[in-house]
């Protein structure tokens, strides 16, 4: 079993839709949970992170963590074609090591 | 602007040659830098942790003699792929961690696409 599981997609939605991206993880010791956006052949860009369980909102993005079920979500409101990218969830393990999921490829059509 | 500069962005080399990739922290001193490898449609896999002034720590299964890491200053780490072979073709990415912060402040370079013929 992988430490972090993520549906690779692709997830195709029309512009303006609400997008839900999800991850599950197995290590209950994780406390920080990051979401990165990666465009093709570029380095990941940190979107936001949360600490422990709860919600965090930043503009059109909302990150949600449920530690009891080891479930992580990222919601994107009013999705735009420029949001088309691969979204990586990455809990933070020991020694500042990120544990990446495979990423979900999102396609937002105009 | 970019916080981390990674060069080159793309390199094509012949099998058996060595390739050096540079990762520079532009805005802050980085005591720790990380090197990742990403194969197509797969997640980023941590290869090694580079600590300034000391030997790098390699992840299980990563050959330290093949992937030489040098972290000579607080702003520069290099990864040298020695005697590269086609199976080493991959996307290599570095990340840096500013001093006195935790892993929630990791910044990534733009990546290097290595193609070994």
């Amino acid at each position: 079993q992988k430490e972090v599981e993520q549906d690779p997609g692709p997830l195709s939605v029309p512009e303006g839709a609400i997008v839900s991206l999800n991850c599950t993880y197995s290590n209950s010791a994780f406390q920080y949970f990051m979401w990165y956006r990666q465009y093709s052949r570029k380095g990941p860009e940190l979107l936001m992170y949360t600490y422990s369980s709860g919600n965090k909102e930043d503009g059109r993005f909302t990150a949600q963590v449920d530690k009891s079920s080891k479930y992580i979500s990222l919601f994107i409101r009013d999705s735009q074609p420029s949001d088309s990218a691969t979204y990586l969830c990455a809990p933070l393990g020991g020694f500042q090591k990120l544990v990446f999921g495979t990423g979900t490829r999102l396609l937002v059509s105009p | 602007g970019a916080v981390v500069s990674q060069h080159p962005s793309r390199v094509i080399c012949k099998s058996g040659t060595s390739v050096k990739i540079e990762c520079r922290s532009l805005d802050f001193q980085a005591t720790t830098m990380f090197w990742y490898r990403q194969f197509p449609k797969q997640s980023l896999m941590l290869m090694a942790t580079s600590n300034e002034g000391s030997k790098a720590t390699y992840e299980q299964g990563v050959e330290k003699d093949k992937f030489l890491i040098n972290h000579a200053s607080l702003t520069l780490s290099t990864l040298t792929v020695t005697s590269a072979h086609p199976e080493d073709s991959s996307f290599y990415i570095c990340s840096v961690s500013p001093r006195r912060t935790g892993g929630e402040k990791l910044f990534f370079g733009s990546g290097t696409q290595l193609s070994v013929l």
Side-chain angles (χ1 to χ4, degrees):
Chain A
Q1 182 191 9
K2 292 181 181 178
E3 276 198 284
V4 179
E5 299 271 6
Q6 199 173 359
D7 187 334
L11 175 62
S12 296
V13 301
E15 183 175 357
I18 296 174
V19 175
S20 173
L21 302 164
N22 307 296
C23 276
T24 58
Y25 64 94
S26 57
N27 189 340
S28 57
F30 290 145
Q31 294 284 6
Y32 282 94
F33 303 89
M34 324 300 196
W35 280 99
Y36 285 87
R37 178 174 61 195
Q38 185 179 26
Y39 293 108
S40 182
R41 300 295 88 181
K42 299 292 182 185
E45 169 196 9
L46 180 65
L47 280 175
M48 57 196 306
Y49 68 90
T50 52
Y51 175 73
S52 194
S53 285
N55 294 356
K56 187 174 183 179
E57 188 174 321
D58 184 0
R60 295 185 295 111
F61 298 89
T62 300
Q64 198 172 75
V65 176
D66 181 348
K67 290 195 69 180
S68 63
S69 58
K70 300 189 182 69
Y71 197 80
I72 314 164
S73 299
L74 178 71
F75 300 97
I76 306 174
R77 290 183 299 280
D78 188 25
S79 56
Q80 304 294 310
S82 58
D83 294 329
S84 297
T86 296
Y87 290 80
L88 303 155
C89 67
L92 184 65
F95 303 104
Q96 300 182 47
K97 294 181 182 180
L98 290 169
V99 183
F100 282 93
T102 53
T104 298
R105 188 170 165 227
L106 172 66
L107 301 172
V108 182
S109 54
Chain B
V3 174
V4 180
S5 173
Q6 186 175 339
H7 290 283
S9 59
R10 185 178 181 90
V11 59
I12 302 172
C13 69
K14 291 182 179 179
S15 184
T17 60
S18 294
V19 174
K20 181 185 281 189
I21 303 170
E22 286 191 352
C23 181
R24 290 183 183 274
S25 176
L26 301 178
D27 286 357
F28 48 77
Q29 293 180 330
T31 50
T32 304
M33 292 185 178
F34 301 89
W35 287 97
Y36 293 83
R37 181 167 52 183
Q38 186 179 32
F39 291 105
K41 298 185 179 179
Q42 294 188 24
S43 63
L44 280 77
M45 297 300 297
L46 180 65
M47 298 175 67
T49 303
S50 167
N51 299 295
E52 188 266 338
S54 64
K55 290 183 179 180
T57 304
Y58 290 81
E59 295 299 302
Q60 191 174 10
V62 178
E63 299 175 59
K64 55 185 69 176
D65 293 332
K66 181 167 186 61
F67 298 100
L68 300 179
I69 292 172
N70 185 290
H71 192 155
S73 75
L74 285 171
T75 58
L76 175 64
S77 177
T78 60
L79 168 68
T80 301
V81 183
T82 61
S83 186
H85 290 284
E87 58 266 29
D88 298 323
S89 298
S90 186
F91 192 59
Y92 293 86
I93 311 172
C94 70
S95 71
V96 305
S97 176
R99 278 180 131 174
R100 291 185 287 277
T101 64
E104 73 277 13
K105 298 272 189 226
L106 286 171
F107 298 92
F108 283 82
S110 55
T112 299
Q113 181 65 51
L114 171 63
S115 299
V116 185
L117 304 178

